[in-house]
């Protein structure tokens, strides 16, 4: 009999993912000057031995000032390759595919790690100052609009020179990914960070060829993906994670056709464009993060309708659903019904790193032992 949809392998550009339960990227705020530490080795390693089909390493900054916090991961210099390589080799030895999310935090850079934010409480500044290893005077964005006047740094509006510098940094990081040995790269275009800031009319008020019309707002984001594709290669999996909505109040478009905020209609157009250009093999549909007053109707599977809409419009594009997916039967239904090709979990895997194994048990999938599974040394990472 056919295996359940969640446990059907998926091959993208020659890379076989053993199942469709993937670990979403999760910032650990535990890097040292952008270098992965033993914390990452243990955290990622624990997932690599427990049955997920893929792991995406956290948002990793392509330049130092593109970090969210001073403790963020980076891949802007060659010394950051070795600690990542150790993690990737461990993951591969246990039959788990692994990639990395390349990122730039834009106007949401130079802020405190979450535990410091929690200690400070809301309403006080979250900006990491220079004497706290921050760089508040070197934050930049499409327009000089702070994410929050009182809490976040004031970004400068980027020049074309700045854009070229950021693109080149994405390219340099993508080249380092070859040396690390990653299976895939994911471009972080979600959650109110630099690329999302460019696509959204709420954060992009530019009047040059990078702002205004949808075509203009997509110009720089698409160019980053194109250049990462060239550096990474057309024969290797390239993923893009988007926010499919700003979740600001009101419609995406006014009655006279003016785009008011970023939403699913523009996301679907952009997804189609990336797909048509052959520069995106898999699109992960998240949402939010770019608007302080966002109103997100959080509930189980609250973002699945985004992946479903994109899949419907572009059936040949592989799409992922993420966001409060906690129930294996619901997850199975999403994939089986074609609402997504893959489900990604973040908090569900922190609470239960064995989630994929529990799902296998519930769905009647037998877990292969180490010796039966070719090229796989772990007792828990393969299925038949
Ligand atoms: C996240 N999330 C996230 N997303 C992303 O694109 N890059 C990142 O580095 C992070 N970092 C991160 C850290 C932690 C601790 C959490 C819990 C989340 C968002 C994450 O990938 C996911 O989209 C959301 O958490 C929703 O999925 P869950 O947690 O409901 O399964």
């Amino acid at each position: 009999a056919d295996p359940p949809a969640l446990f059907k392998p998926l091959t993208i550009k020659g890379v076989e993912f053993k199942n469709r339960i993937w670990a979403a990227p999760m910032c650990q705020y535990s890097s040292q000057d952008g270098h992965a530490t033993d914390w990452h080795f243990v955290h990622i390693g624990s997932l690599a031995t427990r049955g997920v089909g893929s792991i995406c390493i956290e948002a990793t900054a392509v330049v130092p000032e593109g970090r969210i916090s001073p403790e963020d991961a980076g891949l802007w210099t060659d010394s950051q390759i070795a600690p990542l390589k150790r993690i990737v080799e461990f993951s591969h030895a246990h039959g788990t595919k692994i990639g990395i999310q390349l990122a730039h935090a834009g106007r949401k850079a130079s802020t405190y790690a979450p535990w410091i934010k929690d200690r400070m409480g809301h309403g006080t500044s979250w900006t990491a100052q220079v004497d706290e290893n921050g760089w508040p005077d070197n934050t930049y964005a499409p327009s000089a609009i702070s994410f929050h006047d009182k809490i976040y740094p004031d970004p400068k509006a980027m020049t074309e020179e700045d854009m070229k510098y950021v693109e080149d940094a994405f390219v340099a990081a993508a080249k380092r990914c070859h040396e690390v040995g990653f299976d895939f790269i994911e471009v972080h275009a979600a959650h109110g960070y630099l690329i999302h800031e460019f696509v959204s009319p709420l954060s992009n008020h530019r009047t040059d060829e990078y702002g205004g019309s949808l075509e203009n707002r997509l110009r720089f984001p698409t160019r980053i993906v194109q250049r990462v594709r060239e550096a990474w290669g057309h024969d290797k999996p390239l993923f893009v994670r988007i926010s499919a909505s700003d979740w600001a109040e009101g419609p995406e478009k006014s009655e006279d056709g003016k785009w008011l905020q970023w939403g699913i209609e523009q996301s679907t157009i952009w997804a189609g464009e990336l797909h048509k250009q052959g520069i995106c093999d898999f699109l992960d549909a998240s949402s939010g993060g770019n608007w302080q007053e966002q109103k997100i109707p959080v509930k189980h599977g609250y973002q699945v309708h985004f992946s479903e809409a994109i899949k419907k419009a572009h059936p040949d594009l592989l799409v992922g659903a993420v966001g409060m997916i906690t129930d294996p039967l619901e997850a199975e239904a999403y994939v089986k019904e074609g609402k997504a090709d893959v489900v990604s979990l973040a908090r569900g895997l922190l609470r239960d790193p064995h989630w994929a194994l529990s799902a296998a048990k519930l769905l009647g999938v037998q877990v292969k032992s180490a010796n039966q599974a070719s090229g796989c040394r772990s007792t828990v990472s393969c299925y038949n």
Side-chain angles (χ1 to χ4, degrees):
D2 263 2
L6 278 182
F7 290 94
K8 279 201 186 113
L10 177 65
T11 301
I12 308 178
K13 293 273 162 87
V15 175
E16 191 188 89
F17 298 87
K18 67 190 172 215
N19 63 48
R20 285 126 186 280
I21 301 165
W22 292 7
M26 282 183 267
C27 285
Q28 298 298 300
Y29 307 98
S30 304
S31 301
Q32 281 169 2
D33 202 15
H35 296 70
T37 62
D38 277 358
W39 171 269
H40 298 90
F41 185 76
V42 172
H43 163 66
I44 300 288
S46 75
L47 295 173
T49 53
R50 285 169 175 79
V52 293
S54 171
I55 300 167
C56 187
I57 289 186
E58 70 190 81
T60 300
V62 297
V63 286
E65 73 276 11
R67 288 172 294 174
I68 302 164
S69 80
E71 293 80 16
D72 275 29
L75 194 48
W76 64 78
T77 186
D78 289 349
S79 59
Q80 288 159 341
I81 293 171
L84 288 170
K85 200 175 169 104
R86 179 175 171 236
I87 296 169
V88 168
E89 285 172 356
F90 180 84
S91 200
H92 284 163
H94 293 276
T96 305
K97 298 294 189 280
I98 181 164
I100 191 166
Q101 190 183 48
L102 295 183
H104 191 302
R107 64 177 179 165
K108 287 168 76 175
S110 192
T111 63
Y112 293 131
W115 50 85
I116 305 180
K117 285 181 190 172
D118 289 348
R119 204 162 64 214
M120 311 270 295
H122 288 252
T124 46
S125 173
W126 287 351
T127 302
Q129 301 299 337
V130 173
D131 60 359
E132 298 165 313
N133 299 321
W135 53 94
D137 297 331
N138 187 24
T139 58
Y140 46 84
S143 303
I145 307 167
S146 176
F147 182 60
H148 188 295
D149 279 350
K150 295 194 179 63
I151 295 178
Y152 281 78
D154 290 319
K156 288 187 290 257
M158 287 172 80
T159 62
E160 288 205 38
E161 211 173 27
D162 296 332
M163 286 183 224
K164 173 81 173 44
Y165 154 81
V166 168
E167 274 172 46
D168 288 347
F170 268 95
V171 167
K175 288 184 178 159
R176 292 189 183 99
C177 289
H178 281 290
E179 290 189 50
V180 177
F182 284 120
D183 298 300
F184 65 89
I185 292 176
E186 175 169 287
V187 173
H188 195 353
H191 302 165
Y193 299 115
L194 186 67
I195 299 179
H196 183 180
E197 291 161 20
F198 264 88
V199 299
S200 170
L202 295 177
S203 41
N204 182 343
H205 291 192
R206 297 179 76 95
T207 52
D208 61 5
E209 59 175 324
Y210 297 97
S213 69
L214 176 60
E215 191 188 352
N216 281 358
R217 281 179 280 121
L218 295 180
R219 194 179 309 279
F220 176 57
T222 303
R223 207 158 67 207
I224 290 177
V225 185
Q226 284 166 342
R227 292 207 53 205
V228 170
R229 170 59 104 195
E230 280 162 27
W232 179 234
H234 285 264
D235 57 339
K236 284 171 161 288
L238 180 58
F239 302 171
V240 178
R241 183 174 239 208
I242 62 163
S243 274
S245 174
D246 282 332
W247 292 116
E249 256 174 299
E252 179 176 348
K253 202 187 213 173
S254 69
E255 276 175 18
D256 57 0
K258 191 170 178 290
W259 297 110
L260 302 171
Q261 60 171 310
W262 182 251
I264 187 61
E265 204 178 327
Q266 292 159 97
S267 297
T268 304
I269 295 169
W270 193 34
E273 190 54 39
L274 295 171
H275 180 51
K276 198 174 78 194
Q277 291 191 24
I279 55 176
C280 173
D281 301 308
F282 170 84
L283 188 115
D284 203 21
S286 186
S287 72
N290 196 36
W291 189 241
Q292 272 292 333
E293 309 295 319
Q294 66 184 15
K295 298 265 180 316
I296 305 184
V298 179
K299 57 176 182 133
H300 279 214
Y302 69 101
Q303 295 172 144
V304 174
H305 64 289
F306 292 134
S307 63
E308 185 182 3
I310 294 167
K311 188 78 195 165
K312 208 166 176 184
H314 311 293
D316 296 338
L317 174 63
L318 295 170
V319 297
V322 64
M324 288 188 67
I325 296 174
T326 51
D327 179 73
L329 296 177
E330 274 177 17
E332 168 67 12
Y334 298 147
V335 178
K336 197 170 177 182
E337 291 164 12
K339 294 177 176 169
D341 297 287
V342 157
V343 292
S344 291
L345 281 76
R347 288 164 295 182
L349 284 171
L350 295 182
R351 283 189 289 267
D352 174 15
H354 290 97
W355 195 93
L357 295 173
S358 310
K361 171 109 172 63
L362 192 69
L363 295 166
V365 174
Q366 201 191 332
V367 176
K368 276 188 185 176
S369 78
N371 303 335
Q372 291 170 304
S374 62
C376 171
R377 283 189 244 141
S378 162
T379 50
V380 293
S381 62
C382 295
Y383 307 93
N384 59 11

